[in-house]
Amino acid sequence: MIRYRNSNTGDVVERREPSLRLERLPNWERLAGDGERDGGAANAPGTGELAQSTVGRPSRSEPKAAWQEYARSVARDADEVDAIDGMTKEQLVERYGGGN
């Protein structure tokens, strides 16, 4: 997984493949992966398949980054994954089940 950190908010997000959008934005930086700076791209299998869900649904009080991680783990396709970055925490909670 490739991780990015927002220098303004501290949010950390994970992507299966590099995000061209995040790469271009000045307030996002790519974090080290598997001990190498910018090494995460080599870890992506490139199959186009989404990862199986291994993340439990966060509570409403958890940060936006936790909701983004959960949403990516249950997303149905790449288009849905791409839309997650543009969603607010409230939208993520509403769409991905903030029952607690």
Short mmCIF file of all heavy atoms in Angstrom, two decimals, residues 2 7 12 21 24-25 28 30 33 37 48-50 54 69 71 83 88 90 92 97-99:
data_model
loop_
_atom_site.label_atom_id
_atom_site.label_comp_id
_atom_site.label_asym_id
_atom_site.label_seq_id
_atom_site.Cartn_x
_atom_site.Cartn_y
_atom_site.Cartn_z
N ILE A 2 0.41 2.25 -0.66
CA ILE A 2 1.11 3.51 -0.71
C ILE A 2 0.39 4.47 0.23
O ILE A 2 -0.83 4.60 0.18
CB ILE A 2 1.12 4.07 -2.15
CG1 ILE A 2 1.83 3.07 -3.05
CG2 ILE A 2 1.76 5.44 -2.19
CD1 ILE A 2 1.63 3.34 -4.51
N SER A 7 -0.10 17.49 5.12
CA SER A 7 0.67 18.31 6.05
C SER A 7 -0.19 19.35 6.76
O SER A 7 0.20 19.86 7.79
CB SER A 7 1.83 18.99 5.31
OG SER A 7 1.34 19.83 4.29
N VAL A 12 -3.77 10.65 7.22
CA VAL A 12 -2.97 9.70 6.47
C VAL A 12 -3.94 8.79 5.71
O VAL A 12 -4.91 8.30 6.29
CB VAL A 12 -2.08 8.86 7.40
CG1 VAL A 12 -1.34 7.78 6.62
CG2 VAL A 12 -1.09 9.75 8.13
N ARG A 21 -3.52 12.52 -8.29
CA ARG A 21 -4.08 13.72 -7.66
C ARG A 21 -3.27 14.11 -6.43
O ARG A 21 -2.87 15.26 -6.27
CB ARG A 21 -5.53 13.47 -7.29
CG ARG A 21 -6.20 14.62 -6.59
CD ARG A 21 -7.68 14.32 -6.38
NE ARG A 21 -8.27 15.35 -5.59
CZ ARG A 21 -8.73 15.18 -4.36
NH1 ARG A 21 -8.71 14.00 -3.81
NH2 ARG A 21 -9.24 16.18 -3.69
N ARG A 24 0.27 15.48 -7.03
CA ARG A 24 0.36 16.85 -7.54
C ARG A 24 0.05 17.92 -6.49
O ARG A 24 0.44 19.06 -6.66
CB ARG A 24 -0.61 17.02 -8.70
CG ARG A 24 -0.15 16.34 -9.93
CD ARG A 24 -1.04 16.68 -11.10
NE ARG A 24 -1.26 15.46 -11.85
CZ ARG A 24 -2.38 15.08 -12.38
NH1 ARG A 24 -3.44 15.84 -12.29
NH2 ARG A 24 -2.47 13.96 -13.03
N LEU A 25 -0.67 17.56 -5.44
CA LEU A 25 -1.07 18.55 -4.45
C LEU A 25 0.08 18.84 -3.48
O LEU A 25 0.70 17.92 -2.95
CB LEU A 25 -2.29 18.07 -3.67
CG LEU A 25 -3.57 17.95 -4.50
CD1 LEU A 25 -4.66 17.25 -3.69
CD2 LEU A 25 -4.03 19.31 -4.96
N TRP A 28 0.20 17.29 0.26
CA TRP A 28 0.25 15.84 0.47
C TRP A 28 1.67 15.35 0.18
O TRP A 28 2.27 15.73 -0.82
CB TRP A 28 -0.73 15.12 -0.45
CG TRP A 28 -2.15 15.27 -0.01
CD1 TRP A 28 -3.02 16.24 -0.39
CD2 TRP A 28 -2.85 14.46 0.93
NE1 TRP A 28 -4.23 16.07 0.25
CE2 TRP A 28 -4.15 14.98 1.07
CE3 TRP A 28 -2.50 13.33 1.67
CZ2 TRP A 28 -5.10 14.42 1.91
CZ3 TRP A 28 -3.45 12.76 2.51
CH2 TRP A 28 -4.74 13.31 2.62
N ARG A 30 4.15 11.74 0.10
CA ARG A 30 4.15 10.29 0.05
C ARG A 30 5.04 9.78 1.19
O ARG A 30 6.18 10.22 1.33
CB ARG A 30 4.68 9.84 -1.30
CG ARG A 30 4.37 8.43 -1.64
CD ARG A 30 4.66 8.24 -3.10
NE ARG A 30 4.45 6.87 -3.50
CZ ARG A 30 4.63 6.43 -4.71
NH1 ARG A 30 5.03 7.25 -5.66
NH2 ARG A 30 4.42 5.18 -5.00
N GLY A 33 7.25 3.37 2.60
CA GLY A 33 6.52 2.10 2.65
C GLY A 33 7.50 0.94 2.63
O GLY A 33 8.41 0.90 1.82
N ARG A 37 11.54 4.96 1.02
CA ARG A 37 10.81 6.17 0.64
C ARG A 37 10.28 5.97 -0.78
O ARG A 37 11.01 5.59 -1.67
CB ARG A 37 11.76 7.38 0.67
CG ARG A 37 11.06 8.64 0.31
CD ARG A 37 10.94 9.51 1.53
NE ARG A 37 10.24 10.73 1.20
CZ ARG A 37 9.23 11.18 1.90
NH1 ARG A 37 8.82 10.54 2.95
NH2 ARG A 37 8.64 12.29 1.58
N GLY A 48 -5.40 -4.69 -10.65
CA GLY A 48 -6.63 -3.92 -10.78
C GLY A 48 -7.72 -4.40 -9.83
O GLY A 48 -8.77 -3.82 -9.74
N GLU A 49 -7.44 -5.45 -9.07
CA GLU A 49 -8.42 -5.95 -8.12
C GLU A 49 -8.28 -5.18 -6.82
O GLU A 49 -7.19 -4.81 -6.42
CB GLU A 49 -8.18 -7.44 -7.85
CG GLU A 49 -8.43 -8.30 -9.06
CD GLU A 49 -8.16 -9.76 -8.78
OE1 GLU A 49 -8.16 -10.15 -7.61
OE2 GLU A 49 -7.95 -10.49 -9.75
N LEU A 50 -9.41 -4.96 -6.15
CA LEU A 50 -9.38 -4.27 -4.88
C LEU A 50 -9.07 -5.26 -3.76
O LEU A 50 -9.40 -6.43 -3.85
CB LEU A 50 -10.74 -3.60 -4.61
CG LEU A 50 -11.13 -2.55 -5.63
CD1 LEU A 50 -12.54 -2.06 -5.37
CD2 LEU A 50 -10.16 -1.38 -5.59
N THR A 54 -10.06 -5.82 5.41
CA THR A 54 -9.39 -6.30 6.61
C THR A 54 -9.50 -5.26 7.71
O THR A 54 -8.95 -5.43 8.78
CB THR A 54 -7.90 -6.59 6.34
OG1 THR A 54 -7.29 -5.40 5.86
CG2 THR A 54 -7.73 -7.71 5.35
N GLU A 69 -9.80 4.87 5.16
CA GLU A 69 -9.20 3.53 5.09
C GLU A 69 -10.29 2.46 5.04
O GLU A 69 -10.23 1.54 4.22
CB GLU A 69 -8.28 3.31 6.30
CG GLU A 69 -7.61 1.97 6.31
CD GLU A 69 -6.71 1.78 7.51
OE1 GLU A 69 -6.61 2.67 8.37
OE2 GLU A 69 -6.11 0.70 7.59
N ALA A 71 -13.45 2.87 4.11
CA ALA A 71 -14.20 2.99 2.86
C ALA A 71 -13.46 2.33 1.71
O ALA A 71 -14.05 1.63 0.88
CB ALA A 71 -14.47 4.47 2.55
N ALA A 83 -13.31 8.27 -5.57
CA ALA A 83 -14.24 9.27 -5.04
C ALA A 83 -14.05 9.50 -3.54
O ALA A 83 -14.42 10.56 -3.02
CB ALA A 83 -15.68 8.84 -5.31
N THR A 88 -16.20 14.32 2.46
CA THR A 88 -15.98 14.79 3.82
C THR A 88 -16.16 13.62 4.78
O THR A 88 -16.70 12.57 4.42
CB THR A 88 -17.00 15.89 4.20
OG1 THR A 88 -18.31 15.30 4.24
CG2 THR A 88 -16.96 17.05 3.23
N GLU A 90 -18.21 13.45 7.20
CA GLU A 90 -19.65 13.24 7.36
C GLU A 90 -20.23 12.40 6.22
O GLU A 90 -21.06 11.53 6.43
CB GLU A 90 -20.39 14.58 7.47
CG GLU A 90 -20.10 15.35 8.75
CD GLU A 90 -18.71 16.00 8.78
OE1 GLU A 90 -18.13 16.28 7.70
OE2 GLU A 90 -18.19 16.21 9.89
N LEU A 92 -18.54 10.24 4.42
CA LEU A 92 -18.03 8.88 4.59
C LEU A 92 -18.84 8.12 5.64
O LEU A 92 -19.21 6.96 5.42
CB LEU A 92 -16.55 8.93 5.00
CG LEU A 92 -15.58 9.42 3.94
CD1 LEU A 92 -14.23 9.77 4.55
CD2 LEU A 92 -15.40 8.37 2.84
N GLY A 97 -21.72 3.68 6.82
CA GLY A 97 -22.33 3.10 8.01
C GLY A 97 -21.83 3.57 9.34
O GLY A 97 -21.08 2.86 10.00
N GLY A 98 -22.24 4.72 9.73
CA GLY A 98 -21.87 5.23 11.05
C GLY A 98 -22.90 4.90 12.09
O GLY A 98 -23.39 5.77 12.77
N GLY A 99 -23.24 3.65 12.24
CA GLY A 99 -24.27 3.24 13.17
C GLY A 99 -23.86 3.31 14.62
O GLY A 99 -24.67 3.11 15.50
#
